Amino acid sequence: MVRQTISKCEQGLSVPDSEMLVLISEVIETPESTLFGENIPESEVDDLKVISEKLEIINLQLL
């Protein structure tokens, strides 16, 4: 990630795409659901479709 991307995320102007979110969660050893502030059962944490759909909703809200 470049500095500008991080800055936009910190300011709430954008969110990482699903692939980047997975990488971030792996690096900080935290489930993706925690990054969303939710408690999703562990069986659903790896469901990239659910995560991708939530990211799309967030991106649409930022427009």
Side-chain angles (χ1 to χ4, degrees), residues 1-3 9 12 15 17-18 20-21 23 25 27-30 39-40 42 45 50-51 54 57 59 61 63:
M1 278 187 140
V2 297
R3 244 184 260 176
C9 291
V15 293
D17 63 25
S18 58
M20 183 58 71
L21 187 62
L23 291 172
S25 71
V27 169
I28 62 174
E29 298 178 358
T30 302
N39 292 324
I40 297 174
E42 203 57 42
V45 170
V50 171
I51 294 169
K54 289 183 181 207
I57 292 168
N59 276 326
Q61 291 173 343
L63 296 177

Side-chain angles (χ1 to χ4, degrees), residues 49 58-60:
K49 182 177 180 187
I58 291 169
N59 276 326
L60 289 173

